[in-house]
Amino acid sequence: MNQKAVVLDAQAITRALTRIAHQIIEKNKGIEDCVLVGIRTRGIFIAERLAVKINEIEGKPIPVGELDITLYRDDLTKKTNDQEPLVKGSDIPVELKDKKVILVDDVLYTGRTVRAGLDAIMDLGRPSTIQLAVLVDRGHRELPIRADYVGKNIPTSSSEKVVVELQEVDKLDQVSIFEK
């Protein structure tokens, strides 16, 4: 794959997350009963960064959970040696019943990851609402899903790949477009 362009650098990612944090607070009239739930892997780190920003703005912490959607995928690809799916487990620190859950992921593409996330959340409890926050929306939806909070809309072709790199995993903060 050839890198075509860097569409967000570290500073742009920070600005986007700050804007999303303000939008979450505004839409929910504060953070009462709100929970951030990040989808493995990069969604978790984005959720944690949003929690820091929200705490800076509101002066109160917001719970952050980790969601493993492996068993909810319709395209299981990563498997162990015995051909079973590789499950890392979810870690949600609070009861989701009647909470406002903000599901967080890095890239919204076909909508299948989000659908799996919705199914996983509903199995853990019945929240009052589920909202979606993504760093990048690249289009090409296959399911009727849209984000409530978007860091950046990046129109792409199907032959391109959007790669989100985060300091916590990749030792670098940037979003790039690659040609397949």
Side-chain angles (χ1 to χ4, degrees):
M1 286 193 314
N2 294 327
Q3 186 177 31
K4 186 175 173 182
V6 174
V7 290
L8 292 173
D9 61 11
Q11 206 172 22
I13 290 172
T14 299
R15 280 193 302 270
L17 294 179
T18 300
R19 185 171 21 82
I20 290 171
H22 280 283
Q23 290 171 344
I24 288 170
I25 294 164
E26 185 176 332
K27 181 171 183 168
N28 293 290
K29 297 174 177 57
I31 57 167
E32 190 72 29
D33 292 325
C34 290
V35 181
L36 295 171
V37 177
I39 295 176
R40 286 195 185 273
T41 295
R42 286 166 185 79
I44 295 166
F45 300 116
I46 293 170
E48 288 172 348
R49 290 184 189 191
L50 284 170
V52 168
K53 296 217 174 281
I54 289 170
N55 192 6
E56 288 171 2
I57 298 163
E58 288 289 289
K60 293 186 275 186
I62 183 170
V64 180
E66 301 179 8
L67 193 63
D68 185 346
I69 60 163
T70 305
L71 296 177
Y72 296 89
R73 296 294 307 218
D74 57 8
D75 62 346
L76 286 175
T77 52
K78 290 185 180 176
K79 299 195 178 198
T80 59
N81 291 337
D82 59 359
Q83 296 304 304
E84 291 298 315
L86 183 60
V87 178
K88 295 183 179 159
S90 297
D91 179 19
I92 311 291
V94 295
E95 178 72 35
L96 295 182
K97 185 176 187 296
D98 297 327
K99 297 284 194 241
K100 299 173 193 169
V101 172
I102 296 100
L103 187 61
V104 182
D105 204 7
D106 56 351
V107 178
L108 177 55
Y109 183 30
T110 62
R112 293 183 181 280
T113 298
V114 174
R115 188 222 33 97
L118 293 171
D119 288 346
I121 286 171
M122 294 308 286
D123 279 354
L124 294 171
R126 190 179 189 292
S128 61
T129 64
I130 301 175
Q131 301 163 25
L132 177 61
V134 296
L135 181 59
V136 174
D137 183 345
R138 65 169 289 189
H140 303 283
R141 219 72 77 239
E142 294 174 2
L143 299 172
I145 290 174
R146 87 175 158 74
D148 298 279
Y149 314 102
V150 178
K152 185 164 181 77
N153 286 295
I154 302 173
T156 60
S157 76
S158 299
S159 66
E160 294 173 324
K161 181 174 174 78
V162 173
V163 176
V164 174
E165 296 172 286
L166 297 176
Q167 191 73 41
E168 296 89 339
V169 182
D170 311 294
K171 309 298 181 231
L172 170 72
D173 278 347
Q174 76 178 21
V175 178
S176 308
I177 297 177
F178 286 81
E179 286 286 347
K180 287 185 184 176

